[in-house]
Each structure stands twice: as structure tokens, then as C-alpha cells.
Amino acid sequence: MKTVVIYKSKTGFSKKYAEWIAEELSSDIFDVSKVNLNMLMTYDTIIYGAGLYAGGINGIKYIIQNLDKLKDKKIAIFATGASPFREEVLSEVRDKNFSPEEQKYIQFFYLRGGFNYSRLNPFNKVIMTLLQWKLKMKKELTPDERGMLASYDKPVDFTKKKNIDKLINYVNL
């Protein structure tokens, strides 16, 4: 079974997971900017990973737009985010990014990444600064929101290689 791991990473967390997955599966690995549909058609299994931004998986449109041509492939998608894994987070992200029909062909995984404000590009820094201001104005913060505010000054990295185990098991079925 020929497998490819494709990723889009702004701050390095998705790339780290993609490298671990590719290493574990002895598969090819590419940044999404280096991939085309003809290339993907040569693989049996396609794994795509990227960060979450406002609940959306960065760059996922590439897979969705080509899903009709890729339906006969095994497709696994992973998203990275700073929030702890919770089943409701998984369901919310899956349902926001994939229609019920698309979910028939895609297996989705959430892998906890991290947050590093200093690695963001200027546009994303502005967006995240607006979020920071909004959070600071709230009277009561959730534990996740308190953690997010603290991470602006001190980057956090929650990546762990064991987090890829379920995805690896799915691919190896």
C-alpha cells in the first residue's frame, strides 16, 4: 500500500506530526504546495494534516475539491490545535469542515499541537491579537481561555508522538 502524507503548517506543529506519521508508515511526505492531483492519484492512502484556525482546517479545500476523484483512496485528515482533546471538539471540527457525505470517505483525527505567537505571520498576529483583547475583556474565562492567554508570552507545545497512534492504526487496517 503506497501512502503519502501531505501537510500545511504555519507554526511547525502540523509538520512535526506529519514527519512522525511519515516516519512511522515509511511513506512519502510533502508540503501541500508541492502536490498536484496527478501525483495523489498514484497513492492508495492519502493523509492530510494542518492547523485549526477559527475551527477551520487550514488548506482542507484542496482535498474537498478533489474528493470525487479520490473516493477510492483511504483518506485520513488530521488537524492540530492548542485545545485539549475532547470528543465534542472532534465532532465540532469534523462537522464544520466536512459534510455528512464527505465524512463517508474521510476519517478525521484531532492531534493536540500548541501555540507559538512569535511564529505567526503578520496577518495572523493581528487576528490573534484581536482574540487576545477579546479574551482579556471577558469577566470569566474558561481554563482553555486562561491557557491561551498565558501562551501569548510563553509558547506551548503539547505534541506527543503517541498522539498519532490511532491514525497509524487506522491506516494499517
Side-chain angles (χ1 to χ4, degrees):
M1 185 165 63
K2 193 172 172 189
T3 302
V4 65
V5 179
I6 308 160
Y7 67 90
K8 185 168 186 165
S9 188
K10 289 184 179 186
T11 56
F13 302 108
S14 297
K15 182 179 181 182
K16 183 190 289 190
Y17 278 123
E19 289 171 344
W20 284 339
I21 293 165
E23 177 185 320
E24 195 70 25
L25 295 171
S26 300
S27 67
D28 295 335
I29 180 172
F30 300 99
D31 181 285
V32 71
S33 65
K34 309 273 192 255
V35 174
N36 64 54
L37 185 59
N38 288 335
M39 174 197 270
L40 290 183
M41 297 306 289
T42 67
Y43 292 94
D44 304 302
T45 301
I46 299 167
I47 302 168
Y48 178 82
L52 285 174
Y53 296 90
I57 302 169
N58 193 19
I60 195 62
K61 285 183 182 177
Y62 183 80
I63 298 295
I64 299 303
Q65 289 170 342
N66 292 298
L67 192 57
D68 283 345
K69 297 171 187 84
L70 302 173
K71 283 182 178 177
D72 63 330
K73 314 281 183 197
K74 183 179 263 191
I75 301 172
I77 307 291
F78 71 87
T80 61
S83 297
F85 175 84
R86 289 189 295 273
E87 196 59 46
E88 61 269 16
V89 171
L90 178 77
S91 296
E92 184 179 318
V93 173
R94 182 183 54 236
D95 294 345
K96 179 177 181 173
N97 288 275
F98 311 112
S99 71
E101 181 66 21
E102 292 163 348
Q103 289 179 36
K104 294 176 185 176
Y105 303 98
I106 294 170
Q107 185 66 40
F108 176 66
F109 300 88
Y110 176 78
L111 306 177
R112 192 171 189 197
F115 181 72
N116 188 334
Y117 180 81
S118 67
R119 289 189 192 167
L120 295 175
N121 66 35
F123 175 78
N124 286 308
K125 280 185 178 180
V126 169
I127 299 297
M128 293 309 293
T129 298
L130 293 173
L131 174 62
Q132 182 184 34
W133 290 341
K134 183 179 176 183
L135 290 176
K136 285 182 175 181
M137 296 175 83
K138 287 181 76 174
K139 290 186 190 316
E140 290 188 41
L141 297 173
T142 67
D144 286 353
E145 291 168 335
R146 282 193 296 277
M148 187 67 175
L149 280 176
S151 68
Y152 278 81
D153 297 323
K154 184 178 181 200
V156 292
D157 183 347
F158 301 109
T159 57
K160 291 185 176 83
K161 192 169 183 183
K162 70 176 182 135
N163 292 347
I164 68 171
D165 290 351
K166 287 182 181 177
L167 189 152
I168 300 299
N169 289 339
Y170 168 75
V171 171
N172 285 331
L173 286 177

PDB file of all heavy atoms in Angstrom, residues 130-163:
ATOM      1  N   LEU A 130      -6.351  40.430  18.240  1.00  0.00           N
ATOM      2  CA  LEU A 130      -7.767  40.774  18.436  1.00  0.00           C
ATOM      3  C   LEU A 130      -8.438  39.758  19.363  1.00  0.00           C
ATOM      4  O   LEU A 130      -9.216  40.137  20.245  1.00  0.00           O
ATOM      5  CB  LEU A 130      -8.490  40.842  17.093  1.00  0.00           C
ATOM      6  CG  LEU A 130      -8.072  41.984  16.157  1.00  0.00           C
ATOM      7  CD1 LEU A 130      -8.739  41.833  14.799  1.00  0.00           C
ATOM      8  CD2 LEU A 130      -8.392  43.336  16.773  1.00  0.00           C
ATOM      9  N   LEU A 131      -8.145  38.485  19.171  1.00  0.00           N
ATOM     10  CA  LEU A 131      -8.684  37.459  20.054  1.00  0.00           C
ATOM     11  C   LEU A 131      -8.189  37.672  21.487  1.00  0.00           C
ATOM     12  O   LEU A 131      -8.959  37.562  22.438  1.00  0.00           O
ATOM     13  CB  LEU A 131      -8.287  36.059  19.567  1.00  0.00           C
ATOM     14  CG  LEU A 131      -8.672  34.906  20.498  1.00  0.00           C
ATOM     15  CD1 LEU A 131     -10.183  34.813  20.669  1.00  0.00           C
ATOM     16  CD2 LEU A 131      -8.095  33.598  19.984  1.00  0.00           C
ATOM     17  N   GLN A 132      -6.923  37.994  21.631  1.00  0.00           N
ATOM     18  CA  GLN A 132      -6.343  38.243  22.952  1.00  0.00           C
ATOM     19  C   GLN A 132      -7.091  39.390  23.653  1.00  0.00           C
ATOM     20  O   GLN A 132      -7.460  39.263  24.823  1.00  0.00           O
ATOM     21  CB  GLN A 132      -4.859  38.574  22.815  1.00  0.00           C
ATOM     22  CG  GLN A 132      -4.145  38.816  24.124  1.00  0.00           C
ATOM     23  CD  GLN A 132      -2.699  39.242  23.908  1.00  0.00           C
ATOM     24  OE1 GLN A 132      -2.375  39.919  22.944  1.00  0.00           O
ATOM     25  NE2 GLN A 132      -1.829  38.827  24.822  1.00  0.00           N
ATOM     26  N   TRP A 133      -7.320  40.472  22.941  1.00  0.00           N
ATOM     27  CA  TRP A 133      -8.051  41.606  23.522  1.00  0.00           C
ATOM     28  C   TRP A 133      -9.463  41.193  23.933  1.00  0.00           C
ATOM     29  O   TRP A 133      -9.951  41.567  24.988  1.00  0.00           O
ATOM     30  CB  TRP A 133      -8.118  42.777  22.552  1.00  0.00           C
ATOM     31  CG  TRP A 133      -6.816  43.473  22.318  1.00  0.00           C
ATOM     32  CD1 TRP A 133      -5.690  43.435  23.094  1.00  0.00           C
ATOM     33  CD2 TRP A 133      -6.498  44.311  21.208  1.00  0.00           C
ATOM     34  NE1 TRP A 133      -4.689  44.197  22.536  1.00  0.00           N
ATOM     35  CE2 TRP A 133      -5.163  44.757  21.376  1.00  0.00           C
ATOM     36  CE3 TRP A 133      -7.201  44.730  20.086  1.00  0.00           C
ATOM     37  CZ2 TRP A 133      -4.525  45.595  20.476  1.00  0.00           C
ATOM     38  CZ3 TRP A 133      -6.563  45.568  19.188  1.00  0.00           C
ATOM     39  CH2 TRP A 133      -5.244  45.994  19.382  1.00  0.00           C
ATOM     40  N   LYS A 134     -10.110  40.435  23.059  1.00  0.00           N
ATOM     41  CA  LYS A 134     -11.469  39.972  23.350  1.00  0.00           C
ATOM     42  C   LYS A 134     -11.490  39.120  24.620  1.00  0.00           C
ATOM     43  O   LYS A 134     -12.360  39.288  25.470  1.00  0.00           O
ATOM     44  CB  LYS A 134     -12.013  39.182  22.154  1.00  0.00           C
ATOM     45  CG  LYS A 134     -13.439  38.715  22.315  1.00  0.00           C
ATOM     46  CD  LYS A 134     -13.906  37.959  21.077  1.00  0.00           C
ATOM     47  CE  LYS A 134     -15.297  37.405  21.292  1.00  0.00           C
ATOM     48  NZ  LYS A 134     -15.737  36.616  20.156  1.00  0.00           N
ATOM     49  N   LEU A 135     -10.519  38.219  24.743  1.00  0.00           N
ATOM     50  CA  LEU A 135     -10.452  37.365  25.934  1.00  0.00           C
ATOM     51  C   LEU A 135     -10.190  38.184  27.187  1.00  0.00           C
ATOM     52  O   LEU A 135     -10.783  37.932  28.242  1.00  0.00           O
ATOM     53  CB  LEU A 135      -9.375  36.293  25.764  1.00  0.00           C
ATOM     54  CG  LEU A 135      -9.663  35.198  24.745  1.00  0.00           C
ATOM     55  CD1 LEU A 135      -8.470  34.265  24.611  1.00  0.00           C
ATOM     56  CD2 LEU A 135     -10.915  34.424  25.114  1.00  0.00           C
ATOM     57  N   LYS A 136      -9.316  39.162  27.084  1.00  0.00           N
ATOM     58  CA  LYS A 136      -8.977  39.988  28.253  1.00  0.00           C
ATOM     59  C   LYS A 136     -10.171  40.804  28.743  1.00  0.00           C
ATOM     60  O   LYS A 136     -10.227  41.185  29.911  1.00  0.00           O
ATOM     61  CB  LYS A 136      -7.810  40.920  27.925  1.00  0.00           C
ATOM     62  CG  LYS A 136      -6.472  40.211  27.888  1.00  0.00           C
ATOM     63  CD  LYS A 136      -5.349  41.190  27.603  1.00  0.00           C
ATOM     64  CE  LYS A 136      -4.000  40.498  27.681  1.00  0.00           C
ATOM     65  NZ  LYS A 136      -2.892  41.434  27.422  1.00  0.00           N
ATOM     66  N   MET A 137     -11.126  41.072  27.869  1.00  0.00           N
ATOM     67  CA  MET A 137     -12.301  41.855  28.243  1.00  0.00           C
ATOM     68  C   MET A 137     -13.386  41.009  28.914  1.00  0.00           C
ATOM     69  O   MET A 137     -14.300  41.555  29.530  1.00  0.00           O
ATOM     70  CB  MET A 137     -12.867  42.573  27.012  1.00  0.00           C
ATOM     71  CG  MET A 137     -11.898  43.598  26.445  1.00  0.00           C
ATOM     72  SD  MET A 137     -12.509  44.337  24.927  1.00  0.00           S
ATOM     73  CE  MET A 137     -13.581  45.583  25.616  1.00  0.00           C
ATOM     74  N   LYS A 138     -13.281  39.687  28.820  1.00  0.00           N
ATOM     75  CA  LYS A 138     -14.277  38.813  29.426  1.00  0.00           C
ATOM     76  C   LYS A 138     -14.147  38.838  30.942  1.00  0.00           C
ATOM     77  O   LYS A 138     -13.045  38.910  31.480  1.00  0.00           O
ATOM     78  CB  LYS A 138     -14.111  37.378  28.924  1.00  0.00           C
ATOM     79  CG  LYS A 138     -14.563  37.168  27.503  1.00  0.00           C
ATOM     80  CD  LYS A 138     -14.392  35.739  27.060  1.00  0.00           C
ATOM     81  CE  LYS A 138     -15.454  34.859  27.657  1.00  0.00           C
ATOM     82  NZ  LYS A 138     -15.400  33.480  27.121  1.00  0.00           N
ATOM     83  N   LYS A 139     -15.281  38.754  31.615  1.00  0.00           N
ATOM     84  CA  LYS A 139     -15.277  38.752  33.079  1.00  0.00           C
ATOM     85  C   LYS A 139     -14.798  37.399  33.626  1.00  0.00           C
ATOM     86  O   LYS A 139     -14.073  37.339  34.603  1.00  0.00           O
ATOM     87  CB  LYS A 139     -16.674  39.062  33.610  1.00  0.00           C
ATOM     88  CG  LYS A 139     -17.096  40.502  33.384  1.00  0.00           C
ATOM     89  CD  LYS A 139     -18.428  40.757  34.057  1.00  0.00           C
ATOM     90  CE  LYS A 139     -19.098  42.036  33.744  1.00  0.00           C
ATOM     91  NZ  LYS A 139     -18.481  43.245  33.678  1.00  0.00           N
ATOM     92  N   GLU A 140     -15.237  36.316  32.987  1.00  0.00           N
ATOM     93  CA  GLU A 140     -14.843  34.978  33.423  1.00  0.00           C
ATOM     94  C   GLU A 140     -14.294  34.204  32.233  1.00  0.00           C
ATOM     95  O   GLU A 140     -14.890  34.205  31.167  1.00  0.00           O
ATOM     96  CB  GLU A 140     -16.028  34.226  34.021  1.00  0.00           C
ATOM     97  CG  GLU A 140     -16.477  34.778  35.362  1.00  0.00           C
ATOM     98  CD  GLU A 140     -17.529  33.898  36.005  1.00  0.00           C
ATOM     99  OE1 GLU A 140     -17.393  32.658  35.933  1.00  0.00           O
ATOM    100  OE2 GLU A 140     -18.473  34.463  36.575  1.00  0.00           O
ATOM    101  N   LEU A 141     -13.182  33.557  32.469  1.00  0.00           N
ATOM    102  CA  LEU A 141     -12.530  32.782  31.410  1.00  0.00           C
ATOM    103  C   LEU A 141     -12.608  31.296  31.715  1.00  0.00           C
ATOM    104  O   LEU A 141     -12.521  30.887  32.877  1.00  0.00           O
ATOM    105  CB  LEU A 141     -11.060  33.190  31.285  1.00  0.00           C
ATOM    106  CG  LEU A 141     -10.763  34.633  30.887  1.00  0.00           C
ATOM    107  CD1 LEU A 141      -9.272  34.911  30.985  1.00  0.00           C
ATOM    108  CD2 LEU A 141     -11.251  34.898  29.473  1.00  0.00           C
ATOM    109  N   THR A 142     -12.728  30.496  30.657  1.00  0.00           N
ATOM    110  CA  THR A 142     -12.649  29.050  30.823  1.00  0.00           C
ATOM    111  C   THR A 142     -11.177  28.684  31.041  1.00  0.00           C
ATOM    112  O   THR A 142     -10.284  29.489  30.733  1.00  0.00           O
ATOM    113  CB  THR A 142     -13.160  28.325  29.558  1.00  0.00           C
ATOM    114  OG1 THR A 142     -12.258  28.596  28.480  1.00  0.00           O
ATOM    115  CG2 THR A 142     -14.578  28.755  29.200  1.00  0.00           C
ATOM    116  N   PRO A 143     -10.898  27.486  31.520  1.00  0.00           N
ATOM    117  CA  PRO A 143      -9.490  27.068  31.648  1.00  0.00           C
ATOM    118  C   PRO A 143      -8.738  27.129  30.315  1.00  0.00           C
ATOM    119  O   PRO A 143      -7.580  27.538  30.279  1.00  0.00           O
ATOM    120  CB  PRO A 143      -9.597  25.632  32.179  1.00  0.00           C
ATOM    121  CG  PRO A 143     -10.901  25.599  32.907  1.00  0.00           C
ATOM    122  CD  PRO A 143     -11.813  26.519  32.129  1.00  0.00           C
ATOM    123  N   ASP A 144      -9.407  26.753  29.218  1.00  0.00           N
ATOM    124  CA  ASP A 144      -8.764  26.831  27.897  1.00  0.00           C
ATOM    125  C   ASP A 144      -8.420  28.268  27.538  1.00  0.00           C
ATOM    126  O   ASP A 144      -7.349  28.546  26.994  1.00  0.00           O
ATOM    127  CB  ASP A 144      -9.672  26.246  26.811  1.00  0.00           C
ATOM    128  CG  ASP A 144      -9.746  24.732  26.837  1.00  0.00           C
ATOM    129  OD1 ASP A 144      -8.997  24.104  27.610  1.00  0.00           O
ATOM    130  OD2 ASP A 144     -10.558  24.180  26.077  1.00  0.00           O
ATOM    131  N   GLU A 145      -9.318  29.196  27.848  1.00  0.00           N
ATOM    132  CA  GLU A 145      -9.070  30.605  27.536  1.00  0.00           C
ATOM    133  C   GLU A 145      -7.929  31.169  28.382  1.00  0.00           C
ATOM    134  O   GLU A 145      -7.090  31.923  27.877  1.00  0.00           O
ATOM    135  CB  GLU A 145     -10.347  31.429  27.737  1.00  0.00           C
ATOM    136  CG  GLU A 145     -11.417  31.123  26.703  1.00  0.00           C
ATOM    137  CD  GLU A 145     -12.786  31.707  27.046  1.00  0.00           C
ATOM    138  OE1 GLU A 145     -13.064  31.942  28.249  1.00  0.00           O
ATOM    139  OE2 GLU A 145     -13.567  31.907  26.104  1.00  0.00           O
ATOM    140  N   ARG A 146      -7.870  30.787  29.651  1.00  0.00           N
ATOM    141  CA  ARG A 146      -6.750  31.227  30.505  1.00  0.00           C
ATOM    142  C   ARG A 146      -5.426  30.693  29.970  1.00  0.00           C
ATOM    143  O   ARG A 146      -4.419  31.396  29.920  1.00  0.00           O
ATOM    144  CB  ARG A 146      -6.971  30.784  31.955  1.00  0.00           C
ATOM    145  CG  ARG A 146      -7.968  31.642  32.705  1.00  0.00           C
ATOM    146  CD  ARG A 146      -7.942  31.382  34.203  1.00  0.00           C
ATOM    147  NE  ARG A 146      -8.336  30.031  34.576  1.00  0.00           N
ATOM    148  CZ  ARG A 146      -9.593  29.613  34.723  1.00  0.00           C
ATOM    149  NH1 ARG A 146     -10.589  30.440  34.550  1.00  0.00           N
ATOM    150  NH2 ARG A 146      -9.855  28.368  35.066  1.00  0.00           N
ATOM    151  N   GLY A 147      -5.431  29.440  29.554  1.00  0.00           N
ATOM    152  CA  GLY A 147      -4.226  28.840  28.981  1.00  0.00           C
ATOM    153  C   GLY A 147      -3.808  29.527  27.698  1.00  0.00           C
ATOM    154  O   GLY A 147      -2.616  29.749  27.452  1.00  0.00           O
ATOM    155  N   MET A 148      -4.784  29.879  26.879  1.00  0.00           N
ATOM    156  CA  MET A 148      -4.495  30.565  25.619  1.00  0.00           C
ATOM    157  C   MET A 148      -3.839  31.917  25.891  1.00  0.00           C
ATOM    158  O   MET A 148      -2.836  32.268  25.261  1.00  0.00           O
ATOM    159  CB  MET A 148      -5.794  30.742  24.822  1.00  0.00           C
ATOM    160  CG  MET A 148      -5.579  31.295  23.454  1.00  0.00           C
ATOM    161  SD  MET A 148      -4.703  30.077  22.466  1.00  0.00           S
ATOM    162  CE  MET A 148      -4.717  30.869  20.904  1.00  0.00           C
ATOM    163  N   LEU A 149      -4.386  32.672  26.823  1.00  0.00           N
ATOM    164  CA  LEU A 149      -3.802  33.980  27.155  1.00  0.00           C
ATOM    165  C   LEU A 149      -2.369  33.838  27.661  1.00  0.00           C
ATOM    166  O   LEU A 149      -1.497  34.621  27.284  1.00  0.00           O
ATOM    167  CB  LEU A 149      -4.658  34.709  28.199  1.00  0.00           C
ATOM    168  CG  LEU A 149      -5.898  35.416  27.672  1.00  0.00           C
ATOM    169  CD1 LEU A 149      -6.698  36.023  28.821  1.00  0.00           C
ATOM    170  CD2 LEU A 149      -5.537  36.490  26.662  1.00  0.00           C
ATOM    171  N   ALA A 150      -2.124  32.840  28.476  1.00  0.00           N
ATOM    172  CA  ALA A 150      -0.773  32.635  29.011  1.00  0.00           C
ATOM    173  C   ALA A 150       0.216  32.280  27.911  1.00  0.00           C
ATOM    174  O   ALA A 150       1.400  32.619  27.994  1.00  0.00           O
ATOM    175  CB  ALA A 150      -0.794  31.544  30.081  1.00  0.00           C
ATOM    176  N   SER A 151      -0.262  31.623  26.862  1.00  0.00           N
ATOM    177  CA  SER A 151       0.647  31.153  25.806  1.00  0.00           C
ATOM    178  C   SER A 151       1.120  32.264  24.867  1.00  0.00           C
ATOM    179  O   SER A 151       2.039  32.057  24.092  1.00  0.00           O
ATOM    180  CB  SER A 151      -0.013  30.034  25.004  1.00  0.00           C
ATOM    181  OG  SER A 151      -1.095  30.533  24.251  1.00  0.00           O
ATOM    182  N   TYR A 152       0.514  33.439  24.943  1.00  0.00           N
ATOM    183  CA  TYR A 152       0.986  34.557  24.120  1.00  0.00           C
ATOM    184  C   TYR A 152       2.405  34.952  24.520  1.00  0.00           C
ATOM    185  O   TYR A 152       3.207  35.338  23.681  1.00  0.00           O
ATOM    186  CB  TYR A 152       0.057  35.773  24.244  1.00  0.00           C
ATOM    187  CG  TYR A 152      -1.159  35.696  23.368  1.00  0.00           C
ATOM    188  CD1 TYR A 152      -2.275  34.953  23.747  1.00  0.00           C
ATOM    189  CD2 TYR A 152      -1.208  36.360  22.148  1.00  0.00           C
ATOM    190  CE1 TYR A 152      -3.400  34.886  22.944  1.00  0.00           C
ATOM    191  CE2 TYR A 152      -2.331  36.305  21.342  1.00  0.00           C
ATOM    192  CZ  TYR A 152      -3.420  35.553  21.745  1.00  0.00           C
ATOM    193  OH  TYR A 152      -4.525  35.480  20.943  1.00  0.00           O
ATOM    194  N   ASP A 153       2.693  34.871  25.803  1.00  0.00           N
ATOM    195  CA  ASP A 153       4.015  35.258  26.307  1.00  0.00           C
ATOM    196  C   ASP A 153       4.992  34.089  26.349  1.00  0.00           C
ATOM    197  O   ASP A 153       6.198  34.281  26.266  1.00  0.00           O
ATOM    198  CB  ASP A 153       3.891  35.846  27.712  1.00  0.00           C
ATOM    199  CG  ASP A 153       3.054  37.115  27.719  1.00  0.00           C
ATOM    200  OD1 ASP A 153       3.164  37.896  26.751  1.00  0.00           O
ATOM    201  OD2 ASP A 153       2.280  37.325  28.676  1.00  0.00           O
ATOM    202  N   LYS A 154       4.445  32.892  26.488  1.00  0.00           N
ATOM    203  CA  LYS A 154       5.301  31.708  26.596  1.00  0.00           C
ATOM    204  C   LYS A 154       4.715  30.614  25.700  1.00  0.00           C
ATOM    205  O   LYS A 154       3.663  30.055  26.008  1.00  0.00           O
ATOM    206  CB  LYS A 154       5.353  31.230  28.055  1.00  0.00           C
ATOM    207  CG  LYS A 154       6.296  30.081  28.250  1.00  0.00           C
ATOM    208  CD  LYS A 154       6.364  29.678  29.704  1.00  0.00           C
ATOM    209  CE  LYS A 154       7.358  28.533  29.818  1.00  0.00           C
ATOM    210  NZ  LYS A 154       7.189  27.775  31.019  1.00  0.00           N
ATOM    211  N   PRO A 155       5.387  30.335  24.568  1.00  0.00           N
ATOM    212  CA  PRO A 155       4.859  29.313  23.650  1.00  0.00           C
ATOM    213  C   PRO A 155       4.621  27.976  24.359  1.00  0.00           C
ATOM    214  O   PRO A 155       5.333  27.637  25.316  1.00  0.00           O
ATOM    215  CB  PRO A 155       5.963  29.172  22.606  1.00  0.00           C
ATOM    216  CG  PRO A 155       6.737  30.442  22.687  1.00  0.00           C
ATOM    217  CD  PRO A 155       6.658  30.874  24.123  1.00  0.00           C
ATOM    218  N   VAL A 156       3.621  27.251  23.869  1.00  0.00           N
ATOM    219  CA  VAL A 156       3.306  25.934  24.418  1.00  0.00           C
ATOM    220  C   VAL A 156       3.344  24.897  23.299  1.00  0.00           C
ATOM    221  O   VAL A 156       2.960  25.169  22.172  1.00  0.00           O
ATOM    222  CB  VAL A 156       1.931  25.916  25.121  1.00  0.00           C
ATOM    223  CG1 VAL A 156       1.953  26.752  26.382  1.00  0.00           C
ATOM    224  CG2 VAL A 156       0.822  26.388  24.206  1.00  0.00           C
ATOM    225  N   ASP A 157       3.838  23.728  23.624  1.00  0.00           N
ATOM    226  CA  ASP A 157       3.933  22.624  22.666  1.00  0.00           C
ATOM    227  C   ASP A 157       3.417  21.368  23.352  1.00  0.00           C
ATOM    228  O   ASP A 157       4.049  20.855  24.278  1.00  0.00           O
ATOM    229  CB  ASP A 157       5.389  22.439  22.223  1.00  0.00           C
ATOM    230  CG  ASP A 157       5.548  21.348  21.178  1.00  0.00           C
ATOM    231  OD1 ASP A 157       4.604  20.560  20.957  1.00  0.00           O
ATOM    232  OD2 ASP A 157       6.640  21.266  20.585  1.00  0.00           O
ATOM    233  N   PHE A 158       2.252  20.913  22.923  1.00  0.00           N
ATOM    234  CA  PHE A 158       1.630  19.723  23.502  1.00  0.00           C
ATOM    235  C   PHE A 158       1.799  18.496  22.613  1.00  0.00           C
ATOM    236  O   PHE A 158       1.173  17.468  22.858  1.00  0.00           O
ATOM    237  CB  PHE A 158       0.137  19.971  23.746  1.00  0.00           C
ATOM    238  CG  PHE A 158      -0.153  21.119  24.665  1.00  0.00           C
ATOM    239  CD1 PHE A 158      -0.690  22.298  24.168  1.00  0.00           C
ATOM    240  CD2 PHE A 158       0.112  21.039  26.019  1.00  0.00           C
ATOM    241  CE1 PHE A 158      -0.967  23.369  25.000  1.00  0.00           C
ATOM    242  CE2 PHE A 158      -0.149  22.098  26.867  1.00  0.00           C
ATOM    243  CZ  PHE A 158      -0.687  23.267  26.362  1.00  0.00           C
ATOM    244  N   THR A 159       2.609  18.603  21.558  1.00  0.00           N
ATOM    245  CA  THR A 159       2.771  17.468  20.649  1.00  0.00           C
ATOM    246  C   THR A 159       3.424  16.302  21.376  1.00  0.00           C
ATOM    247  O   THR A 159       4.338  16.485  22.177  1.00  0.00           O
ATOM    248  CB  THR A 159       3.608  17.843  19.414  1.00  0.00           C
ATOM    249  OG1 THR A 159       4.873  18.332  19.836  1.00  0.00           O
ATOM    250  CG2 THR A 159       2.912  18.882  18.562  1.00  0.00           C
ATOM    251  N   LYS A 160       2.921  15.121  21.089  1.00  0.00           N
ATOM    252  CA  LYS A 160       3.477  13.875  21.619  1.00  0.00           C
ATOM    253  C   LYS A 160       3.347  12.834  20.519  1.00  0.00           C
ATOM    254  O   LYS A 160       2.287  12.708  19.894  1.00  0.00           O
ATOM    255  CB  LYS A 160       2.712  13.408  22.854  1.00  0.00           C
ATOM    256  CG  LYS A 160       2.887  14.281  24.068  1.00  0.00           C
ATOM    257  CD  LYS A 160       2.174  13.658  25.265  1.00  0.00           C
ATOM    258  CE  LYS A 160       2.407  14.457  26.504  1.00  0.00           C
ATOM    259  NZ  LYS A 160       1.539  15.590  26.663  1.00  0.00           N
ATOM    260  N   LYS A 161       4.406  12.102  20.291  1.00  0.00           N
ATOM    261  CA  LYS A 161       4.380  11.113  19.211  1.00  0.00           C
ATOM    262  C   LYS A 161       3.266  10.087  19.400  1.00  0.00           C
ATOM    263  O   LYS A 161       2.653   9.646  18.427  1.00  0.00           O
ATOM    264  CB  LYS A 161       5.741  10.426  19.081  1.00  0.00           C
ATOM    265  CG  LYS A 161       5.843   9.612  17.810  1.00  0.00           C
ATOM    266  CD  LYS A 161       7.229   9.147  17.518  1.00  0.00           C
ATOM    267  CE  LYS A 161       7.259   8.414  16.190  1.00  0.00           C
ATOM    268  NZ  LYS A 161       8.569   7.888  15.882  1.00  0.00           N
ATOM    269  N   LYS A 162       2.948   9.744  20.640  1.00  0.00           N
ATOM    270  CA  LYS A 162       1.896   8.746  20.880  1.00  0.00           C
ATOM    271  C   LYS A 162       0.525   9.209  20.391  1.00  0.00           C
ATOM    272  O   LYS A 162      -0.361   8.403  20.162  1.00  0.00           O
ATOM    273  CB  LYS A 162       1.830   8.368  22.361  1.00  0.00           C
ATOM    274  CG  LYS A 162       1.292   9.458  23.249  1.00  0.00           C
ATOM    275  CD  LYS A 162       1.150   9.012  24.682  1.00  0.00           C
ATOM    276  CE  LYS A 162       0.565  10.161  25.469  1.00  0.00           C
ATOM    277  NZ  LYS A 162      -0.469   9.818  26.346  1.00  0.00           N
ATOM    278  N   ASN A 163       0.361  10.528  20.188  1.00  0.00           N
ATOM    279  CA  ASN A 163      -0.925  11.052  19.701  1.00  0.00           C
ATOM    280  C   ASN A 163      -1.268  10.553  18.301  1.00  0.00           C
ATOM    281  O   ASN A 163      -2.431  10.603  17.905  1.00  0.00           O
ATOM    282  CB  ASN A 163      -0.927  12.581  19.710  1.00  0.00           C
ATOM    283  CG  ASN A 163      -0.903  13.157  21.112  1.00  0.00           C
ATOM    284  OD1 ASN A 163      -1.120  12.455  22.095  1.00  0.00           O
ATOM    285  ND2 ASN A 163      -0.627  14.440  21.207  1.00  0.00           N
TER     286      ASN A 163
END
